[in-house]
Amino acid sequence: GLSLQDFAEVKDAQFRFDLLAGAVREQAKGVNILIYGPPGTGKTELARVLCHETDLRLHAVGEVDEDGEEPTRYDRVSALLLAQRVLADKKEAVILFDEMEDFIGNTQRSAGDWMARRDGSKVFVNRMLENNPVPVIWTTNAIGNMDDAIIRRLSYVLELDYPSRKARQRIAETICNSEQVCFSTELS
């Protein structure tokens, strides 16, 4: 696993820690943090580090259906709702919903100021974001297909880009140390 040091270049780290810790401590409703960026930037790992550094437990939901197969949107939303109910009284719980596009469905921006091909109910999604009793960390690769109404309901939105060369080297060294292999910067 990585640590906060591996994400030292990410802005506003302390604010995100305070937001998560405060939300759990105060049992605040509607706390949603979105981390978005290209594949391989460490979005899911950053979510793990945020929770680990604040002594919170991260619970990933909806990654498989009840048979261990690929879940549908319905399966993923149902898993999120169930986790919200089960974890509502747990003071250290945070939910991870990896790949938020499954939550919002095939929605696409149209030529006008409205969204086309919306899956499910817009009001249901909006109320879920406003009233979730357990903080949720959402990840996605892009936000271009998200309705502005969803973005407005998020407590914090972080764009995560590829780490710098220095950060990638630090992460590679961490992984090599944990795997007990020698790290080298020499090319052969």
Side-chain angles (χ1 to χ4, degrees):
L2 301 179
S3 71
L4 182 57
Q5 290 175 302
D6 297 307
F7 293 96
E9 297 171 348
V10 176
K11 64 180 180 176
D12 299 333
Q14 189 60 49
F15 174 77
R16 283 187 305 281
F17 294 135
D18 293 344
L19 176 63
L20 268 180
V24 170
R25 182 182 61 250
E26 300 299 323
Q27 295 183 311
K29 290 186 180 222
V31 175
N32 298 280
I33 296 174
L34 174 64
I35 305 171
Y36 78 97
T41 55
K43 298 177 293 291
T44 304
E45 193 62 31
L46 177 57
R48 288 184 187 113
V49 169
L50 282 171
C51 289
H52 177 74
E53 295 287 331
T54 50
D55 294 322
L56 299 173
R57 297 198 58 193
L58 187 64
H59 303 269
V61 298
E63 295 184 348
V64 296
D65 70 8
E66 61 187 30
D67 297 320
E69 302 293 328
E70 179 181 3
T72 64
R73 178 181 184 272
Y74 175 82
D75 294 328
R76 297 208 68 205
V77 171
S78 295
L80 177 60
L81 288 171
L82 179 61
Q84 287 289 347
R85 288 185 195 113
V86 169
L87 299 171
D89 295 329
K90 305 289 184 199
K91 295 230 184 250
E92 74 287 346
V94 176
I95 295 172
L96 172 66
F97 195 100
D98 219 348
E99 309 300 346
M100 187 178 193
E101 46 271 51
D102 290 348
F103 179 68
I104 61 173
N106 292 324
T107 306
Q108 296 178 346
R109 290 197 179 276
S110 70
D113 63 350
W114 51 276
M115 305 301 285
R117 296 178 44 174
R118 182 183 314 280
D119 290 339
S121 165
K122 180 179 179 180
V123 72
F124 175 80
V125 168
N126 291 347
R127 296 304 172 260
M128 240 181 119
L129 292 170
E130 293 168 353
N131 298 312
N132 54 309
V134 180
V136 179
I137 299 177
W138 306 86
T139 70
T140 190
N141 293 333
I143 61 171
N145 66 334
M146 277 192 206
D147 191 322
D148 293 340
I150 290 174
I151 301 291
R152 266 195 324 274
R153 286 171 170 81
L154 301 173
S155 310
Y156 189 88
V157 177
L158 170 68
E159 181 179 12
L160 192 61
D161 203 355
Y162 291 109
S164 69
R165 181 182 178 104
K166 182 179 177 181
R168 288 192 312 268
Q169 183 173 336
R170 191 174 54 245
I171 292 167
E173 288 173 2
T174 299
I175 294 168
C176 287
N177 287 339
S178 71
E179 296 297 323
Q180 300 178 345
V181 296
C182 184
F183 178 81
S184 174
T185 58
E186 295 178 23
L187 298 175
S188 49

